[in-house]
Amino acid sequence: MVEGSPNAFPAFLTSAPFDDATADTILRSSDGVDFHVYRIILSCASPFFKDMFSLPQANSTDLGLPIIPLSEHSRLLDSFLRVWYPGAKTVPFENVDQLADVIELALVKYDLEYLAPFLQKQLLSFKELRCLSVFSIACRYGWDDIVKDAARQSLTFDIQWLIGRNSSHLKYITGHNYQALLRYHAACSQAASSAGRLLPWADAEYTWIHCTTCAAHPAKRSVPGLEGRIAPRAWIFQYLDDAAAVLKQKPGANVKDPGLVVGAHHKIMACHNLSCRINGLRDLSKFIAEKYVPAINEAIDAVPLRI
Ligand SMILES: [Zn+2]
């Protein structure tokens, strides 16, 4: 059902084209709202209506127009008809639950399979805020590309959020699918948080390799390719350690986030080496964009979603 009770809304009034006095059929919603439509349009669009119109209609208006009573509430029926009825202005879906109801009507009840590409596009628009619902709905209808997109989006949240998140659409997926999503998240957590360890730092002349003024890392940690030959500055490790910790929780986190880079920035700007202050921030930004982010994405891309 659509979020909230239908009774919480004021009475629904139909608008064009469903107020057409010349139409030949009335669809009556469960709350008694009449939608004036043309029978030929409904028959051409939906096998369900075609079969229905082959049967005698029990109810009619005083003017003899057949009345088709439907079980859908007027607001849902209006949203559904506006997706495909000619001349109807499409209204954006208010939330993923409303869209899910329309998808169910279109694909399960009224056999409007040709609407699937449009509905898939609409569903994707909700993935950022409602990834678990989008994942569940896509699983239900076998929309594999959206399943993967939604699973990838779930990585921007930590796994505890995912486990604690409630979605009414979960009832449509199997325990296997849900477990696959959690395992995918856990595997991506490991892959993304490890992605910085083996980056080829020695390939470029970064400031943190050359500056000997600001503090080196006290534990003498090594750089891949430069083991034992050089002591990088502490701030690059601080950044990578902080980023790895964030990625452990949220594998899809943005490692360019100012809140994550600010610690290294402060260390760079406190350095007495002018070259470090001038080039350090630039090198760090370049390194993140050109090396680190691609390495994280590559690590996550290699993790399979075993649905
Ligand atoms: Zn420095």
Side-chain angles (χ1 to χ4, degrees), residues 207 211 213-214 233 235 268 271 273 276:
T207 303
C211 180
T213 305
C214 50
R233 304 300 95 189
W235 49 263
I268 293 168
C271 181
N273 180 345
C276 185

Side-chain angles (χ1 to χ4, degrees), residues 75-217:
R75 295 179 190 281
L76 173 58
L77 187 57
D78 187 70
S79 296
F80 167 63
L81 290 173
R82 288 187 181 283
V83 170
W84 57 272
Y85 194 87
K89 182 180 177 184
T90 303
V91 178
F93 293 101
E94 293 177 8
N95 51 58
V96 74
D97 305 308
Q98 181 193 32
L99 173 59
D101 287 341
V102 169
I103 293 174
E104 183 173 9
L105 287 185
L107 303 186
V108 178
K109 183 171 181 180
Y110 292 108
D111 295 331
L112 300 169
E113 188 61 39
Y114 67 93
L115 291 178
F118 171 81
L119 296 170
Q120 288 169 354
K121 190 175 176 184
Q122 298 299 309
L123 185 59
L124 267 176
S125 71
F126 288 102
K127 74 173 183 178
E128 289 189 10
L129 294 178
R130 297 291 301 273
C131 59
L132 188 57
S133 293
V134 171
F135 175 84
S136 303
I137 294 166
C139 280
R140 180 184 180 188
Y141 295 103
W143 295 342
D144 293 344
D145 288 347
I146 301 180
V147 168
K148 290 174 185 169
D149 268 6
R152 185 70 175 246
Q153 189 66 35
S154 77
L155 303 178
T156 59
F157 301 95
D158 65 60
I159 200 163
Q160 291 306 321
W161 177 92
L162 207 56
I163 292 171
R165 187 75 177 172
N166 190 24
S167 168
S168 60
H169 308 288
L170 280 171
K171 63 177 177 275
Y172 294 113
I173 69 171
T174 64
H176 168 79
N177 289 346
Y178 185 64
Q179 187 184 50
L181 178 64
L182 297 184
R183 284 183 169 174
Y184 172 75
H185 195 290
C188 288
S189 165
Q190 184 62 38
S193 61
S194 305
R197 288 183 192 160
L198 298 176
L199 283 175
W201 294 4
D203 286 357
E205 296 182 349
Y206 292 120
T207 303
W208 55 82
I209 301 292
H210 295 287
C211 180
T212 55
T213 305
C214 50
H217 195 279

